[in-house]
Amino acid sequence: MEPSDLSRLIGLLQKAERPLLLAGHGVRLAGAAKRFPALVEQLNAPTVLTWNALDLLPHDHPLNIGRPGVVAARAPNFAVQNCDLLVAIGARLDNVVTAYNLQGFARNARKVICDIDQDELDNKQCLEPEMVLSVDAALLIDDLLHSGISSCREEWVDKCRDWKTRYPQYEGRAFPR
């Protein structure tokens, strides 16, 4: 990754009041699944995971807010729609994740889309990304880990945790018979 791109990304993370990581299967394909939790914890950033990446963080990890999209709990979708910086790493941002609404996805956020596949990046221009990085997820994760950056605001982390607690995947209610 270019040093200027890394510096710009770090600047965006440091300025964000409500950053959110969105990780996809590209993290695993890049061989960075074991290092990804360290990045989440170093950034102290709430994180949402695509269906193919749901095991990158344990479900009960305090920064794992869940899976966003069409078939998802409310908490991860609230996090996506209320973040001010969305950093997607190795995630295709397909219709299941974006709820068939690319233009409205993370509508008030600056978006940084990181993917090794340039064609995928080219197809996401309607998201109006702040930054597009054609980079291997492992290299990005390693560069951020080595940078020593820590960014998240506790109020934002607490808000996301509250959503996850109030709106769990399974709310414990039985379906009517």
Coordinates of all heavy atoms in Angstrom, one line a residue, residues 31-128:
G31 N -5.5 -14.5 4.1 CA -4.7 -15.1 5.2 C -4.6 -14.2 6.4 O -3.6 -14.4 7.2
A32 N -5.5 -13.3 6.6 CA -5.4 -12.3 7.7 C -6.4 -12.6 8.8 O -6.6 -11.7 9.7 CB -5.5 -10.9 7.2
A33 N -7.1 -13.7 8.8 CA -8.2 -13.9 9.8 C -7.7 -13.9 11.2 O -8.4 -13.4 12.1 CB -8.9 -15.3 9.5
K34 N -6.5 -14.4 11.4 CA -6.0 -14.4 12.8 C -5.5 -13.1 13.3 O -5.5 -12.8 14.5 CB -4.9 -15.5 12.9 CG -5.3 -16.9 12.8 CD -4.2 -17.9 13.0 CE -4.8 -19.3 12.9 NZ -3.8 -20.3 13.1
R35 N -5.1 -12.2 12.4 CA -4.7 -10.9 12.7 C -5.8 -9.8 12.8 O -5.6 -8.8 13.4 CB -3.6 -10.4 11.7 CG -2.3 -11.3 11.8 CD -1.2 -10.7 11.0 NE -1.4 -10.5 9.6 CZ -1.5 -11.4 8.6 NH1 -1.4 -12.7 8.9 NH2 -1.7 -11.0 7.3
F36 N -6.9 -10.1 12.2 CA -8.0 -9.2 12.1 C -8.5 -8.8 13.5 O -8.7 -7.6 13.7 CB -9.1 -9.7 11.2 CG -10.3 -8.7 11.1 CD1 -10.2 -7.6 10.4 CD2 -11.5 -9.0 11.8 CE1 -11.2 -6.7 10.3 CE2 -12.5 -8.1 11.8 CZ -12.4 -6.9 11.0
P37 N -8.7 -9.7 14.4 CA -9.2 -9.3 15.8 C -8.2 -8.3 16.4 O -8.7 -7.4 17.1 CB -9.3 -10.6 16.6 CG -9.5 -11.6 15.5 CD -8.7 -11.2 14.3
A38 N -6.9 -8.4 16.2 CA -6.0 -7.5 16.8 C -6.2 -6.1 16.3 O -6.1 -5.1 17.0 CB -4.5 -7.9 16.5
L39 N -6.5 -6.0 15.0 CA -6.8 -4.6 14.4 C -8.1 -4.0 15.0 O -8.1 -2.9 15.4 CB -6.9 -4.7 12.9 CG -7.3 -3.4 12.2 CD1 -6.2 -2.4 12.3 CD2 -7.7 -3.7 10.7
V40 N -9.1 -4.8 15.1 CA -10.4 -4.4 15.7 C -10.1 -3.8 17.1 O -10.6 -2.7 17.5 CB -11.4 -5.5 15.7 CG1 -12.6 -5.1 16.5 CG2 -11.8 -5.9 14.3
E41 N -9.3 -4.6 17.9 CA -9.1 -4.2 19.3 C -8.1 -3.0 19.3 O -8.3 -2.1 20.2 CB -8.5 -5.4 20.0 CG -9.6 -6.4 20.2 CD -9.1 -7.8 20.7 OE1 -7.9 -7.9 21.0 OE2 -10.0 -8.7 20.7
Q42 N -7.2 -2.9 18.5 CA -6.3 -1.8 18.4 C -7.0 -0.5 18.1 O -6.8 0.6 18.7 CB -5.1 -2.0 17.4 CG -4.2 -0.8 17.4 CD -3.0 -1.1 16.4 OE1 -2.4 -2.2 16.5 NE2 -2.7 -0.2 15.5
L43 N -7.9 -0.6 17.1 CA -8.7 0.6 16.8 C -9.9 0.8 17.8 O -10.4 1.9 17.8 CB -9.3 0.4 15.4 CG -8.4 0.4 14.2 CD1 -9.1 0.0 12.9 CD2 -7.7 1.8 14.1
N44 N -10.2 -0.2 18.5 CA -11.4 -0.1 19.4 C -12.6 0.3 18.6 O -13.4 1.2 19.0 CB -11.2 0.8 20.6 CG -12.2 0.7 21.7 OD1 -12.7 -0.4 21.9 ND2 -12.6 1.7 22.3
A45 N -12.7 -0.3 17.4 CA -13.8 0.0 16.5 C -14.9 -1.0 16.4 O -14.7 -2.2 16.2 CB -13.2 0.2 15.1
P46 N -16.2 -0.5 16.5 CA -17.3 -1.4 16.3 C -17.1 -2.0 14.9 O -16.6 -1.4 14.0 CB -18.5 -0.5 16.4 CG -18.1 0.6 17.2 CD -16.6 0.8 16.9
T47 N -17.5 -3.3 14.8 CA -17.3 -4.0 13.5 C -18.5 -4.8 13.1 O -19.2 -5.4 14.0 CB -16.1 -5.0 13.7 OG1 -14.9 -4.2 14.1 CG2 -15.8 -5.7 12.4
V48 N -18.8 -4.8 11.9 CA -19.9 -5.6 11.3 C -19.2 -6.6 10.3 O -18.2 -6.2 9.7 CB -21.0 -4.8 10.7 CG1 -21.8 -4.0 11.8 CG2 -20.6 -3.9 9.6
L49 N -19.8 -7.8 10.2 CA -19.2 -8.8 9.3 C -20.2 -9.3 8.3 O -21.3 -9.5 8.7 CB -18.7 -9.9 10.3 CG -17.7 -9.5 11.4 CD1 -17.7 -10.6 12.4 CD2 -16.4 -9.2 10.8
T50 N -19.7 -9.6 7.1 CA -20.6 -10.2 6.1 C -20.8 -11.7 6.5 O -20.1 -12.2 7.4 CB -19.9 -10.2 4.7 OG1 -18.8 -11.0 4.7 CG2 -19.6 -8.8 4.3
W51 N -21.8 -12.3 5.9 CA -22.2 -13.7 6.3 C -21.0 -14.6 6.1 O -20.8 -15.5 6.9 CB -23.3 -14.2 5.4 CG -24.6 -13.6 5.9 CD1 -25.2 -12.4 5.6 CD2 -25.5 -14.2 6.9 NE1 -26.3 -12.3 6.3 CE2 -26.6 -13.4 7.1 CE3 -25.4 -15.4 7.6 CZ2 -27.6 -13.6 8.0 CZ3 -26.5 -15.7 8.4 CH2 -27.5 -14.8 8.6
N52 N -20.2 -14.5 5.1 CA -19.0 -15.3 4.8 C -17.9 -15.0 5.8 O -16.9 -15.8 5.7 CB -18.5 -15.2 3.4 CG -19.5 -15.9 2.4 OD1 -20.3 -16.8 2.8 ND2 -19.4 -15.6 1.2
A53 N -18.0 -14.0 6.6 CA -16.9 -13.6 7.5 C -17.4 -13.6 8.9 O -16.7 -13.1 9.8 CB -16.3 -12.3 7.0
L54 N -18.5 -14.2 9.2 CA -19.1 -14.0 10.5 C -18.3 -14.6 11.6 O -18.4 -14.2 12.8 CB -20.5 -14.5 10.6 CG -20.8 -16.0 10.3 CD1 -20.8 -16.7 11.6 CD2 -22.1 -16.1 9.7
D55 N -17.3 -15.4 11.3 CA -16.5 -16.0 12.4 C -15.1 -15.3 12.5 O -14.3 -15.8 13.3 CB -16.3 -17.5 12.1 CG -15.6 -17.8 10.8 OD1 -15.6 -17.0 10.0 OD2 -15.0 -19.0 10.7
L56 N -14.9 -14.2 11.9 CA -13.7 -13.4 12.1 C -13.6 -12.9 13.5 O -12.5 -12.7 14.0 CB -13.6 -12.3 11.1 CG -13.3 -12.7 9.7 CD1 -13.3 -11.4 8.8 CD2 -12.0 -13.4 9.5
L57 N -14.7 -12.7 14.2 CA -14.8 -12.3 15.6 C -15.8 -13.2 16.2 O -16.9 -13.4 15.6 CB -15.2 -10.8 15.7 CG -14.3 -9.7 15.4 CD1 -15.0 -8.4 15.5 CD2 -13.0 -9.8 16.3
P58 N -15.6 -13.6 17.5 CA -16.7 -14.3 18.1 C -17.9 -13.5 18.3 O -17.8 -12.2 18.4 CB -16.1 -14.6 19.5 CG -14.6 -14.4 19.4 CD -14.4 -13.5 18.3
H59 N -19.1 -14.1 18.2 CA -20.4 -13.4 18.3 C -20.4 -12.5 19.6 O -20.9 -11.4 19.6 CB -21.6 -14.3 18.3 CG -22.8 -13.6 18.5 ND1 -23.4 -12.8 17.5 CD2 -23.7 -13.5 19.6 CE1 -24.5 -12.2 18.0 NE2 -24.7 -12.7 19.3
D60 N -19.8 -13.0 20.7 CA -19.9 -12.3 22.0 C -18.7 -11.3 22.2 O -18.6 -10.7 23.2 CB -20.0 -13.2 23.1 CG -18.8 -14.2 23.2 OD1 -17.9 -14.2 22.3 OD2 -18.7 -14.9 24.2
H61 N -17.9 -11.1 21.1 CA -16.9 -10.1 21.2 C -17.5 -8.7 21.4 O -18.5 -8.4 20.7 CB -16.0 -10.1 20.0 CG -14.8 -9.3 20.1 ND1 -14.8 -8.0 20.0 CD2 -13.5 -9.7 20.2 CE1 -13.5 -7.5 20.1 NE2 -12.7 -8.5 20.3
P62 N -17.0 -7.9 22.3 CA -17.7 -6.6 22.6 C -17.7 -5.7 21.4 O -18.6 -4.7 21.4 CB -17.0 -6.1 23.8 CG -15.7 -6.8 23.9 CD -15.9 -8.2 23.2
L63 N -16.9 -5.9 20.4 CA -16.9 -5.0 19.3 C -17.5 -5.5 18.0 O -17.6 -4.9 17.0 CB -15.4 -4.5 18.9 CG -14.8 -3.7 20.0 CD1 -13.3 -3.6 19.8 CD2 -15.4 -2.3 20.1
N64 N -18.0 -6.8 18.1 CA -18.7 -7.4 17.0 C -20.2 -7.0 17.2 O -20.9 -7.5 18.1 CB -18.6 -8.9 17.1 CG -19.3 -9.7 16.0 OD1 -20.1 -9.1 15.2 ND2 -19.1 -11.0 15.9
I65 N -20.7 -6.2 16.3 CA -22.1 -5.7 16.3 C -23.0 -6.7 15.5 O -24.2 -6.7 15.8 CB -22.2 -4.3 15.8 CG1 -21.1 -3.4 16.5 CG2 -23.6 -3.7 16.0 CD1 -21.2 -3.5 18.1
G66 N -22.5 -7.5 14.6 CA -23.3 -8.4 13.9 C -23.1 -8.3 12.4 O -22.2 -7.8 11.9
R67 N -24.1 -8.9 11.7 CA -24.1 -8.9 10.2 C -25.1 -7.9 9.7 O -26.3 -8.0 10.0 CB -24.5 -10.3 9.8 CG -23.5 -11.4 10.2 CD -24.0 -12.8 9.7 NE -25.3 -13.1 10.3 CZ -25.5 -13.8 11.4 NH1 -24.4 -14.1 12.2 NH2 -26.7 -14.1 11.8
P68 N -24.7 -7.0 8.9 CA -25.7 -6.0 8.3 C -26.4 -6.6 7.1 O -26.0 -7.6 6.5 CB -24.7 -4.9 7.9 CG -23.5 -5.6 7.5 CD -23.3 -6.7 8.4
G69 N -27.4 -5.9 6.7 CA -28.1 -6.2 5.4 C -29.5 -6.6 5.5 O -30.2 -6.3 6.5
V70 N -30.0 -7.3 4.5 CA -31.4 -7.6 4.3 C -31.8 -8.6 5.4 O -32.9 -8.4 6.0 CB -31.6 -8.3 2.9 CG1 -33.1 -8.7 2.8 CG2 -31.3 -7.3 1.8
V71 N -31.1 -9.7 5.6 CA -31.5 -10.7 6.6 C -30.5 -10.5 7.8 O -29.7 -11.3 8.0 CB -31.4 -12.1 6.0 CG1 -32.5 -12.3 5.0 CG2 -30.1 -12.3 5.2
A72 N -30.8 -9.5 8.6 CA -29.9 -9.2 9.7 C -30.7 -8.6 10.8 O -31.8 -8.2 10.7 CB -28.9 -8.2 9.2
A73 N -30.0 -8.6 12.0 CA -30.6 -7.9 13.1 C -30.6 -6.4 13.0 O -29.9 -5.9 12.1 CB -29.9 -8.3 14.4
R74 N -31.3 -5.7 13.8 CA -31.3 -4.2 13.7 C -30.0 -3.6 14.0 O -29.6 -2.6 13.4 CB -32.5 -3.7 14.5 CG -33.8 -4.2 14.0 CD -34.9 -4.0 15.0 NE -35.3 -2.6 15.1 CZ -36.1 -2.1 16.1 NH1 -36.7 -3.0 16.9 NH2 -36.4 -0.8 16.1
A75 N -29.3 -4.1 15.1 CA -28.1 -3.4 15.6 C -27.1 -3.1 14.5 O -26.6 -2.0 14.4 CB -27.5 -4.2 16.7
P76 N -26.7 -4.1 13.7 CA -25.6 -3.9 12.7 C -26.1 -2.9 11.7 O -25.3 -2.0 11.2 CB -25.3 -5.2 12.1 CG -26.4 -6.1 12.6 CD -27.0 -5.6 13.8
N77 N -27.4 -2.9 11.3 CA -27.9 -2.0 10.3 C -27.9 -0.6 10.9 O -27.7 0.4 10.2 CB -29.2 -2.4 9.8 CG -29.1 -3.6 8.8 OD1 -28.2 -3.6 8.1 ND2 -30.1 -4.5 8.9
F78 N -28.3 -0.4 12.2 CA -28.2 0.9 12.8 C -26.8 1.4 12.8 O -26.6 2.6 12.6 CB -28.7 0.8 14.3 CG -30.2 0.6 14.5 CD1 -30.7 0.3 15.7 CD2 -31.1 0.8 13.4 CE1 -32.1 0.2 15.9 CE2 -32.5 0.7 13.6 CZ -33.0 0.3 14.8
A79 N -25.8 0.5 13.1 CA -24.4 1.0 13.1 C -24.0 1.5 11.7 O -23.4 2.5 11.6 CB -23.5 -0.2 13.6
V80 N -24.4 0.7 10.7 CA -24.0 1.1 9.3 C -24.7 2.5 9.0 O -24.0 3.4 8.5 CB -24.5 0.1 8.3 CG1 -24.4 0.6 6.9 CG2 -23.6 -1.2 8.4
Q81 N -25.9 2.7 9.3 CA -26.6 3.9 9.0 C -26.3 5.1 9.8 O -26.6 6.2 9.4 CB -28.1 3.6 9.0 CG -28.6 2.7 7.9 CD -28.1 3.1 6.5 OE1 -27.1 2.6 6.0 NE2 -28.9 3.9 5.9
N82 N -25.6 4.9 10.9 CA -25.2 6.0 11.8 C -23.7 6.3 11.9 O -23.3 7.2 12.6 CB -25.8 5.7 13.2 CG -27.3 5.9 13.2 OD1 -27.8 7.1 13.3 ND2 -28.0 4.8 13.2
C83 N -22.9 5.5 11.2 CA -21.5 5.7 11.3 C -21.1 6.9 10.4 O -21.9 7.3 9.6 CB -20.7 4.5 10.8 SG -20.9 4.1 9.0
D84 N -20.0 7.6 10.8 CA -19.6 8.7 9.9 C -18.4 8.3 9.1 O -17.9 9.1 8.2 CB -19.3 9.9 10.8 CG -18.1 9.8 11.7 OD1 -17.6 8.7 11.9 OD2 -17.8 10.8 12.4
L85 N -17.8 7.1 9.3 CA -16.8 6.6 8.5 C -16.9 5.0 8.4 O -17.0 4.4 9.4 CB -15.4 6.9 9.0 CG -14.2 6.3 8.2 CD1 -14.1 6.9 6.8 CD2 -12.9 6.4 9.0
L86 N -17.1 4.5 7.2 CA -17.2 3.1 7.0 C -16.0 2.6 6.3 O -15.7 3.1 5.2 CB -18.5 2.7 6.2 CG -18.6 1.3 5.8 CD1 -19.2 0.5 7.1 CD2 -19.6 1.1 4.7
V87 N -15.3 1.7 6.9 CA -14.1 1.1 6.2 C -14.4 -0.3 5.9 O -14.5 -1.2 6.8 CB -12.8 1.2 7.1 CG1 -11.6 0.6 6.4 CG2 -12.5 2.7 7.5
A88 N -14.6 -0.6 4.6 CA -14.9 -2.0 4.2 C -13.6 -2.7 3.7 O -12.9 -2.1 2.9 CB -15.9 -1.9 3.0
I89 N -13.3 -3.8 4.3 CA -12.1 -4.5 4.1 C -12.5 -5.9 3.5 O -13.0 -6.7 4.2 CB -11.2 -4.7 5.3 CG1 -10.9 -3.3 5.9 CG2 -9.9 -5.4 5.0 CD1 -10.2 -3.4 7.3
G90 N -12.2 -6.2 2.3 CA -12.4 -7.5 1.7 C -13.8 -7.9 1.6 O -14.2 -9.0 1.7
A91 N -14.7 -6.9 1.5 CA -16.2 -7.2 1.4 C -16.7 -6.7 0.1 O -16.4 -5.6 -0.3 CB -16.9 -6.4 2.6
R92 N -17.5 -7.6 -0.6 CA -18.0 -7.2 -1.9 C -19.1 -6.2 -1.9 O -19.5 -5.6 -2.9 CB -18.6 -8.5 -2.5 CG -17.5 -9.5 -2.8 CD -16.6 -9.1 -3.9 NE -15.6 -10.1 -4.2 CZ -14.5 -9.8 -4.7 NH1 -14.1 -8.6 -5.0 NH2 -13.6 -10.8 -5.0
L93 N -19.7 -6.0 -0.7 CA -20.8 -5.0 -0.6 C -21.9 -5.4 -1.6 O -22.4 -4.5 -2.4 CB -20.3 -3.6 -0.8 CG -19.3 -3.1 0.2 CD1 -18.7 -1.7 -0.1 CD2 -19.8 -3.2 1.6
D94 N -22.3 -6.6 -1.6 CA -23.3 -7.1 -2.5 C -24.7 -6.7 -2.0 O -24.8 -6.0 -1.0 CB -23.2 -8.6 -2.7 CG -23.4 -9.4 -1.4 OD1 -23.9 -8.9 -0.4 OD2 -23.0 -10.6 -1.4
N95 N -25.7 -7.1 -2.7 CA -27.1 -6.7 -2.4 C -27.6 -7.2 -1.0 O -28.4 -6.6 -0.4 CB -28.1 -7.2 -3.5 CG -27.9 -6.4 -4.7 OD1 -27.6 -5.2 -4.7 ND2 -28.2 -7.0 -5.9
V96 N -27.1 -8.4 -0.6 CA -27.5 -8.9 0.7 C -27.0 -8.0 1.8 O -27.7 -7.7 2.8 CB -27.0 -10.3 0.9 CG1 -27.2 -10.8 2.4 CG2 -27.6 -11.3 0.0
V97 N -25.8 -7.4 1.7 CA -25.2 -6.5 2.7 C -25.7 -5.1 2.6 O -26.0 -4.5 3.6 CB -23.6 -6.5 2.5 CG1 -23.0 -5.4 3.4 CG2 -23.0 -7.9 2.8
T98 N -25.9 -4.6 1.4 CA -26.4 -3.3 1.2 C -27.9 -3.1 1.1 O -28.4 -2.0 1.0 CB -25.8 -2.7 -0.1 OG1 -26.3 -3.4 -1.2 CG2 -24.3 -2.7 -0.1
A99 N -28.6 -4.2 1.3 CA -30.1 -4.2 1.3 C -30.6 -3.7 0.0 O -31.6 -3.0 0.0 CB -30.7 -3.5 2.5
Y100 N -29.9 -4.0 -1.1 CA -30.4 -3.6 -2.5 C -30.4 -2.1 -2.6 O -31.2 -1.6 -3.4 CB -31.7 -4.2 -2.8 CG -31.6 -5.7 -3.0 CD1 -31.8 -6.5 -1.8 CD2 -31.4 -6.3 -4.2 CE1 -31.7 -7.9 -2.0 CE2 -31.3 -7.7 -4.3 CZ -31.5 -8.5 -3.2 OH -31.4 -9.9 -3.3
N101 N -29.7 -1.4 -1.8 CA -29.7 0.1 -1.8 C -28.3 0.7 -1.7 O -28.0 1.2 -0.7 CB -30.6 0.6 -0.7 CG -30.9 2.1 -0.7 OD1 -30.4 2.8 -1.6 ND2 -31.5 2.6 0.3
L102 N -27.5 0.6 -2.8 CA -26.2 1.1 -2.7 C -26.1 2.6 -2.4 O -25.3 3.0 -1.6 CB -25.5 0.8 -4.0 CG -24.9 -0.6 -4.2 CD1 -24.4 -0.8 -5.6 CD2 -23.8 -0.9 -3.2
Q103 N -27.0 3.4 -3.0 CA -27.0 4.8 -2.8 C -27.4 5.2 -1.3 O -26.9 6.2 -0.8 CB -28.0 5.5 -3.7 CG -27.6 5.5 -5.1 CD -27.9 4.2 -5.9 OE1 -28.6 3.3 -5.4 NE2 -27.3 4.1 -7.0
G104 N -28.2 4.4 -0.6 CA -28.6 4.7 0.7 C -27.7 4.0 1.8 O -27.9 4.2 3.0
F105 N -26.8 3.1 1.4 CA -26.0 2.4 2.3 C -25.0 3.3 3.0 O -24.2 4.0 2.3 CB -25.3 1.2 1.5 CG -24.5 0.3 2.4 CD1 -25.1 -0.6 3.2 CD2 -23.1 0.4 2.4 CE1 -24.4 -1.4 4.0 CE2 -22.3 -0.5 3.2 CZ -23.0 -1.4 4.0
A106 N -25.0 3.3 4.3 CA -24.1 4.2 5.1 C -24.2 5.6 4.6 O -23.3 6.3 4.2 CB -22.7 3.7 5.1
R107 N -25.5 6.0 4.5 CA -25.8 7.3 3.7 C -25.1 8.5 4.2 O -24.9 9.4 3.4 CB -27.3 7.5 3.7 CG -27.9 7.7 5.1 CD -29.4 7.7 5.1 NE -29.9 7.8 6.5 CZ -30.4 6.8 7.1 NH1 -30.4 5.6 6.6 NH2 -30.8 6.9 8.4
N108 N -24.7 8.6 5.5 CA -24.1 9.8 6.0 C -22.6 9.6 6.3 O -22.0 10.5 6.9 CB -24.8 10.3 7.2 CG -26.2 10.7 6.9 OD1 -26.5 11.4 6.0 ND2 -27.2 10.2 7.8
A109 N -22.1 8.6 5.8 CA -20.7 8.2 6.1 C -19.7 8.5 4.9 O -20.1 8.3 3.8 CB -20.6 6.7 6.5
R110 N -18.5 8.8 5.3 CA -17.5 8.7 4.3 C -17.2 7.2 4.2 O -17.2 6.5 5.2 CB -16.2 9.5 4.8 CG -16.4 11.0 4.9 CD -15.2 11.6 5.6 NE -14.9 12.8 4.8 CZ -13.9 13.6 5.1 NH1 -13.1 13.3 6.2 NH2 -13.6 14.6 4.4
K111 N -16.9 6.8 3.0 CA -16.7 5.4 2.8 C -15.3 5.1 2.2 O -14.8 5.8 1.3 CB -17.7 4.8 1.8 CG -19.1 4.9 2.4 CD -20.2 4.7 1.3 CE -21.5 5.2 1.7 NZ -21.7 6.7 1.6
V112 N -14.6 4.1 2.8 CA -13.3 3.7 2.3 C -13.5 2.2 1.9 O -13.9 1.4 2.8 CB -12.2 3.8 3.4 CG1 -10.9 3.3 2.8 CG2 -12.1 5.3 3.8
I113 N -13.3 1.9 0.7 CA -13.5 0.5 0.2 C -12.2 -0.1 -0.2 O -11.5 0.5 -1.1 CB -14.5 0.5 -1.0 CG1 -15.8 1.2 -0.6 CG2 -14.8 -0.9 -1.5 CD1 -16.8 1.4 -1.7
C114 N -11.8 -1.1 0.5 CA -10.6 -1.8 0.3 C -10.8 -3.2 -0.3 O -11.4 -4.0 0.4 CB -9.8 -1.9 1.6 SG -9.7 -0.3 2.5
D115 N -10.3 -3.5 -1.5 CA -10.5 -4.8 -2.1 C -9.4 -5.0 -3.0 O -8.9 -4.1 -3.7 CB -11.9 -4.8 -2.8 CG -12.4 -6.3 -3.0 OD1 -11.7 -7.0 -3.8 OD2 -13.4 -6.6 -2.4
I116 N -9.0 -6.3 -3.2 CA -7.9 -6.6 -4.1 C -8.4 -6.6 -5.6 O -7.6 -6.5 -6.5 CB -7.3 -7.9 -3.7 CG1 -5.9 -8.1 -4.4 CG2 -8.2 -9.1 -4.0 CD1 -5.0 -9.1 -3.8
D117 N -9.7 -6.7 -5.8 CA -10.3 -6.9 -7.1 C -10.7 -5.5 -7.6 O -11.7 -4.9 -7.2 CB -11.5 -7.8 -7.0 CG -12.1 -8.1 -8.4 OD1 -11.8 -7.4 -9.3 OD2 -12.9 -9.1 -8.4
Q118 N -10.0 -5.0 -8.6 CA -10.3 -3.6 -9.1 C -11.6 -3.6 -9.8 O -12.3 -2.6 -9.7 CB -9.2 -3.2 -10.1 CG -9.3 -1.8 -10.6 CD -9.2 -0.8 -9.5 OE1 -8.2 -0.8 -8.7 NE2 -10.1 0.2 -9.5
D119 N -12.1 -4.7 -10.4 CA -13.4 -4.7 -11.0 C -14.5 -4.4 -9.9 O -15.5 -3.7 -10.2 CB -13.7 -6.0 -11.7 CG -12.9 -6.1 -13.0 OD1 -12.5 -5.0 -13.6 OD2 -12.7 -7.2 -13.5
E120 N -14.3 -5.1 -8.8 CA -15.3 -4.8 -7.7 C -15.3 -3.4 -7.2 O -16.3 -2.8 -7.0 CB -15.0 -5.7 -6.5 CG -15.5 -7.1 -6.6 CD -17.0 -7.2 -6.6 OE1 -17.7 -6.4 -5.9 OE2 -17.5 -8.0 -7.4
L121 N -14.1 -2.8 -7.2 CA -14.0 -1.4 -6.8 C -14.7 -0.5 -7.8 O -15.4 0.5 -7.5 CB -12.5 -1.0 -6.6 CG -11.8 -1.7 -5.5 CD1 -10.3 -1.4 -5.5 CD2 -12.4 -1.4 -4.1
D122 N -14.5 -0.8 -9.1 CA -15.1 0.0 -10.1 C -16.6 -0.1 -10.1 O -17.3 0.9 -10.4 CB -14.6 -0.5 -11.5 CG -13.1 -0.2 -11.7 OD1 -12.5 0.6 -11.0 OD2 -12.5 -0.8 -12.6
N123 N -17.1 -1.2 -9.7 CA -18.6 -1.4 -9.6 C -19.2 -0.7 -8.4 O -20.4 -0.7 -8.3 CB -18.9 -2.9 -9.6 CG -18.7 -3.5 -10.9 OD1 -18.7 -2.9 -11.9 ND2 -18.4 -4.8 -10.9
K124 N -18.4 -0.1 -7.5 CA -19.0 0.5 -6.3 C -18.9 2.0 -6.3 O -19.1 2.7 -5.3 CB -18.3 0.0 -5.1 CG -18.4 -1.5 -4.9 CD -19.8 -2.0 -4.8 CE -19.9 -3.5 -4.5 NZ -20.3 -4.3 -5.6
Q125 N -18.7 2.6 -7.5 CA -18.6 4.1 -7.6 C -19.9 4.8 -7.2 O -19.8 5.9 -6.7 CB -18.1 4.5 -8.9 CG -16.6 4.1 -9.2 CD -15.7 4.6 -8.2 OE1 -15.7 5.7 -7.8 NE2 -14.8 3.7 -7.7
C126 N -21.0 4.1 -7.3 CA -22.3 4.8 -7.0 C -22.4 5.0 -5.4 O -23.2 5.7 -5.0 CB -23.5 4.0 -7.5 SG -23.6 2.3 -6.9
L127 N -21.5 4.3 -4.7 CA -21.4 4.5 -3.2 C -20.7 5.9 -2.9 O -20.7 6.3 -1.8 CB -20.6 3.4 -2.6 CG -21.4 2.1 -2.3 CD1 -20.4 1.0 -1.9 CD2 -22.5 2.3 -1.3
E128 N -20.2 6.5 -3.9 CA -19.4 7.7 -3.8 C -18.4 7.6 -2.7 O -18.4 8.4 -1.7 CB -20.4 8.9 -3.6 CG -21.3 9.1 -4.7 CD -22.3 10.2 -4.4 OE1 -22.2 10.9 -3.4 OE2 -23.2 10.4 -5.3

